[in-house]
Amino acid sequence: MNRRRTRRTALAAVLAALLLVTGCGADETVSPSEPRAEVPRPADAKELTEPPDTPEAPDCGDPTASLRPGSLPAPNALPAGSTMAKIRAKGKLVVGVDQNTFRFGFRNPFTGNVEGFDIDMAKEIAEAIFGTPNALQLRILTSSQRIPALKEGTVDIVIRTMSITCDRLKDVDFSSVYYRANQLVLVKKASGITGIDTLGGKRVCATEGSTSLTNIAQAAAKPVPVQVPNWTDCLVMLQQNQVDAISTDDTILAGLSAQDPFTKVVGEPIDDEPYGMAMPKGQTDFVRFVNAVIQRMRTDGTWTATYNRWLADLLGAPPAPPAAKYRD
Ligand code: GLU
């Protein structure tokens, strides 16, 4: 075999190997409405025949209006008896986070650590209480575990792509808005789907307990909502042709799309998703303290630096930090 031929054969082998690795995006002709029986679904994936159980949301005015920031005492001068002093006495801030949302809360396979924008936000709160960002215990939660974890007291705060809504304010309190997201749609590039309006009767994936799932169920085009525990389960189902689309926040979709070059984000914003840090109901001192930390991050460049660190390459140049609204 001459040298050129050997090189060509080697190149063909590399290409074949690459196709094997990335091949799942290639069979665009298989209809998602005929899932291949032999491909197992992610555990607990469920097609909803009824809309998810969302009781009528009370009208709470503007849900994003939080409590005015309090003062920000030095970590060793936290008021005695305050929620912050109690957390400090425990030795660690316990934060509910995600490990499946690339760039917001995800497990870095190289370090084994959970990292991202939300994790850096958590470090700022820990630093304000303890004087070190490392006095932090991360507790991994799915979307539907966020409110129960706060109610059961297994976490001090949830920082996990969580939208502020009137419905959730019945159970938890929120900080001011620390990130503004929008709900969009993720599809396979070759699908021809252009947004939620073209998904009537098609399967659309979102996590259980997310506002995304409710919005899919309420979409005028009447898609079929498919619920799963984690956002990465949605990506697997899209790759296996078990759903036609994923619909959730642009932040989460950008992270999923970065993991599969055969996908793209489409459509007009379906809903505003203002993220707040959620705390147990009634800890007003803690809400004011957290709002003071967020306000400092807005003005001292920390918010923008954190955006640039995790999101700029996926979502573009940093917007202005979200302005705070207060109700008192
Ligand atoms: N922001 C939406 C929510 O809070 C979707 C994000 C998620 O569930 O992780 O429900």
Side-chain angles (χ1 to χ4, degrees), residues 128-165:
I129 297 175
F130 294 93
T132 162
N134 302 324
L136 192 63
Q137 186 183 333
L138 301 179
R139 203 158 263 212
I140 308 301
L141 301 175
T142 62
S143 304
S144 67
Q145 290 169 336
R146 293 176 293 195
I147 289 179
L150 284 164
K151 285 178 124 177
E152 288 156 19
T154 53
V155 294
D156 298 313
I157 187 167
V158 166
I159 309 178
R160 193 201 167 287
T161 58
M162 186 165 183
S163 302
I164 306 171
T165 67

Side-chain angles (χ1 to χ4, degrees), residues 11-131:
L11 190 65
V14 170
L15 278 177
L18 267 176
L19 274 176
L20 262 183
V21 173
T22 59
C24 51
D27 62 350
E28 302 292 350
T29 49
V30 177
S31 164
S33 42
E34 294 159 28
R36 286 164 292 177
E38 75 273 15
V39 181
R41 292 166 150 230
D44 294 329
K46 194 164 117 195
E47 210 163 284
L48 297 187
T49 44
E50 307 257 300
D53 186 23
T54 28
E56 192 65 20
D59 181 11
C60 66
D62 180 353
T64 65
S66 184
L67 298 175
R68 211 157 273 285
S71 61
L72 212 45
N76 58 5
L78 296 168
S82 64
T83 306
M84 297 74 80
K86 285 181 197 148
I87 293 170
R88 189 175 158 92
K90 285 193 303 175
K92 286 225 154 98
L93 175 72
V94 186
V95 186
V97 298
D98 196 2
Q99 65 172 357
N100 285 290
T101 294
F102 187 46
R103 300 296 177 82
F104 260 81
F106 70 103
R107 199 171 284 280
N108 180 332
F110 297 105
T111 61
N113 295 332
V114 178
E115 301 175 358
F117 186 91
D118 275 346
I119 312 305
D120 280 4
M121 293 286 123
K123 287 182 182 167
E124 290 290 326
I125 310 295
E127 174 131 38
I129 297 175
F130 294 93

Side-chain angles (χ1 to χ4, degrees), residues 143 146 160-163 168 210-212 231 249 252 275:
S143 304
R146 293 176 293 195
R160 193 201 167 287
T161 58
M162 186 165 183
S163 302
R168 289 174 176 168
S210 65
T211 50
S212 326
W231 291 113
D249 307 344
I252 298 170
Y275 292 172

Side-chain angles (χ1 to χ4, degrees), residues 2 195 296 305:
N2 68 29
R296 189 173 65 188

